[in-house]
Amino acid sequence: MDKAGVRPSKNYKDLVVKASGYENLPFGEKDCRNYINKVRNKLLGEGDAEALRNYFMRMQENDSFFYVIDLDEESRLRNVFWANAQSRAAYESFEDIITFDTTYLTNKYKMPFASFVRVNHYGQSVLFGCGLLSNENIDTFVWLFEAWLKCMSRRAPNAIITDQDRAMQAAIARVFPRAKHRFCLWHIMSKFPHKLGSHSQYENFKGALLNCVYDSLNYDEFEKRWQQVVESYNLKENAWFCQLYGEQYQWIPAYVKDTFWAGMSTTQRSESMNAFF
């Protein structure tokens, strides 16, 4: 199905239908996507991998260019990271916060494209390095973060914004243990209609929920408003909603405002960089 052009999400849903339910599959959509990416990566031709390496070597001759290539047991290209002199120099001035994103897949091999981005003092997006990944598991993210950290003279950021990916979260805790990790607010809020839209009273409490998230000025105000929504609309049994509450320190504005974020609350800076590539 992947070779026929079927997207991984639809590919997985087809397996769910054939298995008669999510509970009958011993793996999740992320596992399915990682498997597909792993098989795709084996298709990376020797000529292309060699051309990439040769290009990086030429860049390194005339510039403060940095790259790392990760090979598998059969010496096939698995992951790659690179950053040019401009990216490395820019990080010396703006090393306090970065956004990280891997949603871009528009390339010949459909490998996840990862980008490290921040805004400068003019509000412009600045690229701090990027890579192509074979999959999106913990080990891969640890490899990428370590490569990026080495490139930036082991100066870790004070804060980082990503989506809610669990593998990404675990890798950040391992490589950047002191960094404040914030989830992309836009990604979370965009899930509300999908996760809660089937609730019979969703339209009634949607406004109260948005006010709770965006208008709460402190912890107490947020807690009070959140509990009112939970109790008034019987959301105690909603597992996704309860999980969000348990992670409020990583996405609710009232809980993250004590950290400097350069005016950013989402990973859209990283995503907008995809238009360039």
Side-chain angles (χ1 to χ4, degrees):
M1 291 178 69
D2 183 62
K3 291 180 180 179
V6 178
R7 297 178 61 181
S9 59
K10 291 185 178 181
N11 206 332
Y12 178 69
K13 289 178 181 177
D14 181 71
L15 295 174
V16 172
V17 172
K18 291 180 179 178
S20 300
Y22 292 92
E23 66 280 2
N24 296 323
L25 286 178
F27 52 85
E29 183 175 349
K30 190 63 142 182
D31 301 310
C32 180
R33 188 181 298 275
N34 282 338
Y35 176 77
I36 291 174
N37 288 334
K38 182 178 180 180
V39 174
R40 283 174 178 172
N41 193 51
K42 291 181 179 180
L43 302 177
L44 187 61
E46 293 182 4
D48 288 344
E50 188 63 27
L52 182 66
R53 186 197 299 271
N54 291 339
Y55 173 75
F56 284 166
M57 292 178 66
R58 290 198 303 272
M59 290 290 291
Q60 203 170 44
E61 290 177 359
N62 305 313
D63 196 359
S64 181
F65 188 85
F66 181 96
Y67 77 93
V68 182
I69 290 179
D70 177 37
L71 304 177
D72 64 13
E73 297 79 6
E74 299 178 20
S75 297
R76 293 176 301 199
L77 188 149
R78 181 163 52 190
N79 306 299
V80 58
F81 166 80
W82 69 95
N84 62 17
Q86 186 176 1
S87 294
R88 302 180 75 182
Y91 186 69
E92 293 182 2
S93 301
F94 305 104
E95 62 180 52
D96 48 357
I97 175 176
I98 60 173
T99 68
F100 177 75
D101 177 71
T102 59
T103 60
Y104 191 55
L105 292 170
T106 308
N107 56 73
K108 181 178 178 180
Y109 300 103
K110 296 183 180 179
M111 297 171 70
F113 174 81
S115 60
F116 299 83
V117 177
R118 191 225 197 260
V119 294
N120 61 19
H121 48 296
Y122 295 112
Q124 300 167 327
S125 297
V126 180
L127 181 66
F128 290 150
C130 43
L132 289 170
L133 309 177
S134 59
N135 57 57
E136 297 177 85
N137 58 27
I138 297 176
D139 290 339
T140 299
F141 283 130
V142 167
W143 177 89
L144 180 66
F145 293 154
E146 287 286 359
W148 182 83
L149 196 59
K150 181 179 179 181
C151 173
M152 300 304 173
S153 303
R154 305 210 66 82
R155 298 193 308 276
N158 296 326
I160 182 170
I161 304 174
T162 72
D163 60 24
Q164 289 177 284
D165 185 272
R166 299 302 171 193
M168 200 180 294
Q169 187 175 0
I172 289 172
R174 188 183 304 180
V175 183
F176 308 123
R178 297 183 180 180
K180 180 73 174 181
H181 183 195
R182 179 177 185 174
F183 294 150
C184 173
L185 184 58
W186 181 87
H187 276 98
I188 293 177
M189 299 305 293
S190 66
K191 293 178 182 178
F192 276 21
H194 173 67
K195 296 291 187 178
L196 302 175
S198 60
H199 194 290
S200 59
Q201 295 179 288
Y202 175 68
E203 292 300 323
N204 295 333
F205 70 77
K206 179 172 64 175
L209 189 56
L210 294 178
N211 289 336
C212 173
V213 173
Y214 289 111
D215 298 335
S216 297
L217 299 179
N218 53 55
Y219 307 157
D220 294 337
E221 192 172 342
F222 166 77
E223 294 288 344
K224 182 179 179 180
R225 289 180 174 182
W226 186 275
Q227 291 305 320
Q228 285 178 344
V229 173
V230 170
E231 295 173 5
S232 299
Y233 298 98
N234 194 27
L235 292 170
K236 294 181 180 179
E237 302 302 320
N238 188 296
W240 180 79
F241 198 67
C242 292
Q243 179 182 321
L244 276 186
Y245 176 74
E247 297 173 335
Q248 75 267 43
Y249 292 96
Q250 291 181 276
W251 68 281
I252 293 295
Y255 282 90
V256 299
K257 65 180 182 179
D258 293 336
T259 300
F260 176 68
W261 298 100
M264 299 185 295
S265 62
T266 74
T267 59
Q268 287 179 308
R269 285 288 177 172
S270 292
E271 293 175 26
S272 66
M273 187 66 71
N274 297 338
F276 170 78
F277 291 99

